[in-house]
Structure formats: C-alpha cells, structure tokens
Amino acid sequence: MMNATLQALLVYAVVACCTVYAAWTLTPASLKRLVATALMARSQCLRSSRRWQAWAQQKGGCGSGCSGCSSEATPAAGKTKSVRIKFIKRP
C-alpha cells in the first residue's frame, strides 16, 4: 500500500498543477504576454520554444496594430441608428 505521506504529497502536487493550469487558462492575454516575455528574457530554453514565442506575440484584433480595418468599417457618428427598446413590466 501507499504511504500516507507519499499519498498526501502526490495529491498536493496534482492540486498545485491544476491550480497553475487554471490560473494560466483564465489569465488575460495581455498578462500572459507580459509573463511570457519576462520569462523568455531570462531563459535561453524558453526563448527557443515555439509555444512561448506564440504566447509572447500579440494576437490580431483591435489595438494590435495590424491596420487591417478600414475607416469605412467603423460607423460614423452621424450615421448610427437609434433603436427604441420597450420594457414590459410583468405582474
């Protein structure tokens, strides 16, 4: 049978790994880029990893500087439609 101390250490290790995974998964992309860039600056091994390089790069989207959106894609201030929303109070 497994020793109680060894079993407790194994459970702690599994919980710690799950905690790190959940924290990394739920972390915003901007913080992931910051952490990945900081860790890559300290480690040659991480610098050569394609996964860490992908985490350190900014993805496309608003604010990424891709210049893929034309000025015609955003609505002008005077051309927007206003929509009236009617709230119905239920008894």
Side-chain angles (χ1 to χ4, degrees):
M1 280 285 174
M2 195 180 258
N3 190 0
T5 306
L6 183 59
Q7 185 176 3
L9 288 175
L10 183 63
V11 169
Y12 294 148
V14 169
V15 169
C17 289
C18 290
T19 302
V20 168
Y21 175 76
W24 184 258
T25 303
L26 298 174
T27 301
S30 59
L31 187 58
K32 283 183 186 180
R33 277 194 308 273
L34 180 71
V35 169
T37 304
L39 289 175
M40 285 175 54
R42 294 178 180 252
S43 172
Q44 178 66 30
C45 180
L46 291 179
R47 254 180 268 155
S48 62
S49 170
R50 290 184 192 265
R51 179 178 288 178
W52 283 89
Q53 289 174 1
W55 282 331
Q57 292 177 353
Q58 188 169 2
K59 305 289 187 227
C62 293
S64 66
C66 68
S67 70
C69 298
S70 65
S71 61
E72 298 170 5
T74 58
K79 295 183 179 180
T80 58
K81 270 188 173 179
S82 64
V83 178
R84 183 172 293 266
I85 300 174
K86 185 178 180 181
F87 291 100
I88 301 173
K89 189 175 183 181
R90 294 186 183 208

